[in-house]
């Protein structure tokens, strides 16, 4: 059953009345995914908009050598594949569930009809896309100008607190490596440094942040 409270809390449907949310809900199909189940890959186009009702989806690119670079994580209340719905072109990333996940799916036709019907929806999706562009600029900045320890510190601060609300999602060193653009072994050394410096505590499978202020300083100024 579609949970309208989840839709109402999302930035995509900000400003919608209860009747309008009911209308949106009538266009939604629900789908559940298991851990590591692929929903979109870079060679198979999907023309639907996906809304994460529960769980975490990772968006990533894979090199010809099989190396993975995570572009972003899509959490509860967020959407993905909006680019394809808007321009009809192939989504430039793959999308995979990081744990048990529930998706709400709206077809391209239905979503475009909803945008015609509710102008607020067009404004909301523009704001979401602007936020995504800012994220990509920050990612390029990280990969270009920050050291690995600084990039690992950013991932810990930005994502660990969010993942605490998704206990079925395992956040591995390989995942961190794919987000910061390095090898798992380098991430392991970075985590060891941060733990030896008393900034984090590793209690597998958890990483506990002990000194948020110092981690923020490392992100800004390096080690």
């Amino acid at each position: 059953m579609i949970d309208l409270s989840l839709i109402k809390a999302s930035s995509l449907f900000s400003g919608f009345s209860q009747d309008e949310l009911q209308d949106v809900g009538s266009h939604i199909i629900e789908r559940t995914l298991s851990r590591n189940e692929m929903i979109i890959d870079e060679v198979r186009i999907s023309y639907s908009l996906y809304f994460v009702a529960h769980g975490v989806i990772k968006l990533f690119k894979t090199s010809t050598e099989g190396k993975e670079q995570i572009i972003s994580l899509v959490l509860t209340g967020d959407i993905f594949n909006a680019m394809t719905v808007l321009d009809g072109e192939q989504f430039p990333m793959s999308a995979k569930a990081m744990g048990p996940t529930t998706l709400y799916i709206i077809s391209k036709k239905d979503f475009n009809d909803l945008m015609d019907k509710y102008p607020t929806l067009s404004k909301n999706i523009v704001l979401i896309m602007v936020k995504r562009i800012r994220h990509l600029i920050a990612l390029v900045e990280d990969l270009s100008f920050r050291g690995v320890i600084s990039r690992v510190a950013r991932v810990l601060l930005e994502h660990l607190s969010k993942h605490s609300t998704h206990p079925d999602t395992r956040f591995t060193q390989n995942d961190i490596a794919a987000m910061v653009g390095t090898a798992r072994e380098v991430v392991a050394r970075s985590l060891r440094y941060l733990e030896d410096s008393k900034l984090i505590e590793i209690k597998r499978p958890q990483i506990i942040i002990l000194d948020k202020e110092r981690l923020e300083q490392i992100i800004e100024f390096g080690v």
Side-chain angles (χ1 to χ4, degrees):
M1 183 175 178
I2 306 303
D3 186 345
L4 292 182
S5 65
L6 286 175
I7 301 172
K8 183 177 181 179
S10 75
S11 56
L12 180 62
F13 298 105
S14 175
F16 274 52
S17 68
Q18 192 64 27
D19 287 343
E20 290 168 341
L21 292 172
Q22 290 279 2
D23 185 21
V24 170
S26 70
H27 294 85
I28 289 175
I29 298 172
E30 182 178 305
R31 177 176 171 183
T32 57
L33 305 175
S34 57
R35 175 175 168 79
N36 289 329
E37 186 172 347
M38 191 82 79
I39 183 68
I40 298 175
D41 62 41
E42 295 175 50
V43 297
R44 183 179 57 201
I45 194 165
S46 171
Y47 290 103
S48 297
L49 182 81
Y50 298 94
F51 175 97
V52 180
H54 174 78
V56 181
I57 294 287
K58 67 176 178 180
L59 305 180
F60 63 98
K61 297 283 291 184
T62 306
S63 70
T64 53
E65 296 81 19
K67 183 179 178 181
E68 187 177 291
Q69 171 70 54
I70 294 178
I71 306 300
S72 65
L73 301 179
V74 190
L75 307 180
T76 298
D78 292 335
I79 62 169
F80 63 98
N81 205 43
M83 295 167 65
T84 297
V85 171
L86 293 173
D87 68 10
E89 299 293 329
Q90 173 68 50
F91 190 60
M93 294 170 275
S94 298
K96 180 187 289 187
M98 293 188 71
T101 301
T102 301
L103 296 178
Y104 290 168
I105 304 171
I106 306 176
S107 71
K108 175 181 172 68
K109 180 184 182 305
D110 283 351
F111 189 75
N112 281 300
D113 288 345
L114 288 170
M115 283 199 298
D116 289 339
K117 190 173 183 180
Y118 304 116
T120 300
L121 188 56
S122 298
K123 176 184 175 182
N124 290 347
I125 201 163
V126 166
L127 293 175
I128 289 171
M129 298 304 288
V130 168
K131 184 178 178 180
R132 298 284 169 82
I133 291 170
R134 291 185 182 278
H135 166 78
L136 291 175
I137 292 171
L139 178 62
V140 171
E141 181 183 19
D142 270 0
L143 295 175
S144 301
F145 303 121
R146 288 190 171 91
V148 173
I149 293 176
S150 295
R151 303 202 303 264
V152 169
R154 180 185 289 278
V155 167
L156 296 181
L157 283 182
E158 287 189 350
H159 295 291
L160 282 189
S161 60
K162 296 176 183 178
H163 274 259
S164 66
T165 62
H166 302 280
D168 294 328
T169 301
R170 297 196 298 275
F171 203 50
T172 68
Q173 290 186 6
N174 283 329
D175 293 327
I176 297 174
M179 295 184 75
V180 302
T182 190
R184 187 196 64 79
E185 294 78 9
V186 179
V187 167
R189 290 198 296 271
S190 299
L191 291 172
R192 224 167 16 245
Y193 171 86
L194 295 173
E195 186 172 37
D196 292 343
S197 302
K198 309 299 183 185
L199 305 183
I200 65 171
E201 182 180 0
I202 299 175
K203 286 187 174 181
R204 289 182 174 82
Q206 289 184 311
I207 300 175
I208 301 168
I209 293 174
L210 301 178
D211 193 335
K212 179 180 178 181
E213 183 177 343
R214 178 66 181 125
L215 285 176
E216 289 173 342
Q217 291 173 355
I218 287 176
I219 294 170
E220 185 68 24
F221 303 110
V223 176

